[in-house]
């Protein structure tokens, strides 16, 4: 097992009793990510589009830190604070995945800190990279 951290994580930024991601046997398990600026350790609240984009940029940075790309993501779980914003979130989400979209579930959940979206994922990182 190897711990993978967001490459811009501020020293001392403690997000809780979990790792940003764990790489094991070629699979990367990314913990739930949200609209956080890892350099300032601050939540970046905004529109569903803004928060979805920031969240996916965080996921992208973590997956790339593990040697992968967005195309390596095979499964996402998405939590929306307001399911009525699904179409707006989905438009941004879809732009992050080119050819084969990952398997996904999207549910409405109560999220902390006034966040609108949280996403976790699983990626398969090819060993030949």
């Amino acid at each position: 097992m190897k711990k993978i951290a967001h490459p811009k994580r501020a020293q001392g930024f403690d997000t809780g009793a979990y790792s940003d991601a764990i790489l094991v046997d070629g699979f990367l398990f990314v913990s739930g990510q949200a609209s956080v600026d890892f350099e300032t350790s601050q939540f970046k609240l905004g529109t569903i589009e803004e928060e979805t984009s920031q969240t996916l940029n965080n996921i992208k940075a973590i997956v790339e830190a593990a040697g992968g790309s967005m195309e390596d993501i095979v499964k996402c779980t998405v939590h929306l604070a307001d399911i009525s914003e699904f179409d707006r979130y989905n438009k941004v989400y879809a732009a992050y995945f080119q050819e084969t979209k990952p398997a996904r579930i999207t549910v409405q959940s109560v999220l902390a800190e006034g966040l609108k979206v949280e996403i976790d994922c699983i990626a398969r990182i090819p060993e030949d990279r």
Side-chain angles (χ1 to χ4, degrees):
M1 260 190 340
K2 180 180 178 185
K3 178 180 172 179
I4 306 293
H6 190 290
K8 294 186 177 180
R9 177 180 278 281
Q11 194 140 27
F13 179 31
D14 181 19
T15 50
Y18 61 90
S19 300
D20 294 342
I22 296 293
L23 182 62
V24 60
D25 295 334
F27 284 94
L28 182 70
F29 298 87
V30 180
S31 294
Q33 298 298 311
S35 185
V36 173
D37 180 333
F38 276 86
E39 291 178 294
T40 65
S41 308
Q42 299 293 316
F43 289 106
K44 292 180 70 175
L45 302 181
T47 66
I48 188 66
E49 292 89 353
E50 292 165 338
E51 288 193 30
T52 301
S53 183
Q54 179 66 44
T55 300
L56 288 166
N57 285 335
N58 286 339
I59 287 172
K60 183 176 187 282
I62 293 166
V63 171
E64 288 176 352
S69 71
M70 294 298 278
E71 287 74 39
D72 296 318
I73 296 175
V74 296
K75 172 76 167 71
C76 289
T77 301
V78 181
H79 298 268
L80 297 178
D82 184 352
I83 201 71
S84 72
E85 295 184 317
F86 178 88
D87 290 339
R88 293 169 49 209
Y89 130 81
N90 196 51
K91 185 174 180 181
V92 174
Y93 175 94
Y96 279 79
F97 300 99
Q98 302 309 310
E99 307 247 341
T100 304
K101 311 288 192 234
R104 179 184 77 187
I105 184 170
T106 303
V107 296
Q108 180 168 308
S109 299
V110 176
L111 300 176
E113 308 295 335
L115 293 164
K116 290 179 172 50
V117 62
E118 182 176 346
I119 302 172
D120 70 65
C121 69
I122 301 169
R124 183 177 179 282
I125 311 296
E127 292 183 31
D128 59 349
R129 288 196 194 149

